[in-house]
Amino acid sequence: MADTSTDNLNEGLFQLLFEKSPGSLLVKADAPRFTIAAVSDAYLQITSVQREDVVGNGFFEVFPDTGDDPNDENTARKVFTKVIETGVKIDVPVYRFDIQDTVTKKLSEHYWSCSNIPIHCSEGKVAYILNTVVDITGEVKAKQAAIESENRLLMAADATGIAFWVLDIKTADFSFSPQMVTIFGHQPNAEISLSYIRNQVHPDDMQNIVLTAYNRALVSGQYEYEVRIFWPDESMRWIRTKGMVLFNDKNQPERMLGTIVDVTESKRDEERKNDFIAMASHELKTPLTSLKAYIQLLEVKLSASPDPFVASSLTKALNQVNKMTTLIHGFLDLSKIEPGKLHLKKNIFDINKLVQDVIAENRVIAGTHSLKFTPHCEVKVNADREKIGQVISNYISNAIKYSPKGSTIALTTEIIENHVSVSVADQGIGIKPKDQEKIFQRFYRVEDDDMKHIAGFGIGLYLSSEIIHRHKGQISVQSEEGKGSVFSFTLPLA
Ligand code: ADP
């Protein structure tokens, strides 16, 4: 250690330098009195004492240690004694010593950081201790306030069942609030790792939802999904997570943070609602089927009727029954779309042939609209033919619904990289950009005067997008208000 002896210093110069130094105080190593030999202006100011009351007095006469905790190893007396015994500098990063206000005489809470440097005399013994202090009350209080506000947030989150998590993308370091373990069905304070939590996610959801959402979040910055998890007792629960990605100044993703809530109850409510819709739709289907059969029978029986009203009424009645059947089928499909309930029956087939079949089925409802198809050469896909047909049929019936009579609806298939793209273009009312993002959501319908007289429930496109996503394809729309829309989807080639 450098020799910090004062023996050779000019006493007047030393005094001046010392008094101008930041928060410093020099005490003699004359334990237990520890006489104060010098003090700087800054020290006097921050401790609210006068030089004449300090210099020459014992340290503990000026700064009494009567309230010190006997078990605290950082009290000034213990530290000074240790510095003399060991001859080594001792730092105390934080300690509390309250200061008396000169005017009000009231004690105010203060925190300090101090350093105690031994000053050796020529024989090598410690002659003085240089005690330098910095008032860190502001920092300590700010830290306390931050901890308090974090605790308050944690308590509020705890009360509402929300857990917080943070993931370091590079190191995979994962930290979370205590609520997390309860959401994943463990005892409070149980130690669980990120891989353990990942293993609790339903394997299908991990593959289809979590990984896709994660990769999407690295680009978009937003992270959100609902998945099924298994508790250690093997019961199944639902969780919803929502979060964001923090990027560094090079725009590389660094950390992800978010919240997790258990949404099992609301999912069960939704399931009950779905079951009800499924049951009601199923019950409605049977009488409707026989109604249709009777109308068709009547059409045959009365085909020779001379009254044209009979034939046209029966055609209209049949049309209405068909419309209602489509709606009811839509509701039935909707109730089956929940994860785990939509089963794909995949086969290899030619998509152009399917488009032609669906056009043929829709010719009657197309009325005066003309349906034109420009196929690409034979394209095979491995998909659920009926469900893909349902998507194309939905695109066509929307194009008919939302475009003027007599206009053309153009269908095309084309190859884009290793996917086939199927498009349906109409010359109809078009869709505003703000609605284009939302029309694939469940029950979303554009609120417009034009739309009021067009019937629908806003489920067709939702079902279509679910079907296409389950086939690992993409669904999209391009549209200009008043000019028309092009609805497309892609499917991987077989
Ligand atoms: P529905 O047609 O039964 O309301 P969809 O889910 O099929 O339900 O469509 C959702 C909404 O998207 C429709 O209400 C409509 O506002 C808009 N939309 C769909 N297809 C078209 C189209 N071809 N042209 C204009 N708007 C459309």
Side-chain angles (χ1 to χ4, degrees), residues 398 401-402 426 431 439 444-446 451 456-458 460-461 485:
N398 277 349
K401 256 185 353 189
Y402 302 110
D426 65 52
I431 305 158
I439 51 175
Y444 190 85
R445 300 203 75 220
V446 174
M451 296 284 304
F457 287 97
L461 287 181
S485 314

Side-chain angles (χ1 to χ4, degrees), residues 320-332:
Q320 295 305 320
V321 169
N322 283 341
K323 255 191 199 169
M324 210 156 155
T325 312
T326 315
L327 282 178
I328 286 169
H329 277 125
F331 279 123
L332 261 179

Side-chain angles (χ1 to χ4, degrees), residues 333-406:
D333 288 340
L334 185 71
S335 62
K336 286 191 214 136
I337 206 86
E338 289 308 311
K341 287 197 180 167
L342 183 82
H343 298 291
L344 299 180
K345 285 182 236 133
K346 286 190 176 179
N347 280 308
I348 295 184
F349 61 89
D350 177 10
I351 191 92
N352 293 321
K353 175 79 179 60
L354 174 65
V355 175
Q356 275 151 1
D357 290 352
V358 178
I359 290 177
E361 283 162 23
N362 281 276
R363 282 252 186 255
V364 181
I365 62 156
T368 55
H369 282 90
S370 87
L371 295 171
K372 293 223 164 82
F373 179 36
T374 318
H376 190 274
C377 59
E378 190 185 274
V379 186
K380 297 269 192 210
V381 290
N382 182 13
D384 186 320
R385 197 175 190 277
E386 196 190 317
K387 297 223 159 45
I388 299 298
Q390 205 179 317
V391 176
I392 302 168
S393 183
N394 179 239
Y395 277 9
I396 296 178
S397 65
N398 277 349
I400 296 168
K401 256 185 353 189
Y402 302 110
S403 68
K405 286 196 171 96

Side-chain angles (χ1 to χ4, degrees), residues 141-155:
K141 292 244 167 110
K143 201 171 161 190
Q144 281 172 350
I147 292 173
E148 207 173 294
S149 108
E150 192 183 322
N151 283 343
R152 241 183 281 140
L153 196 66
L154 278 179
M155 265 160 60

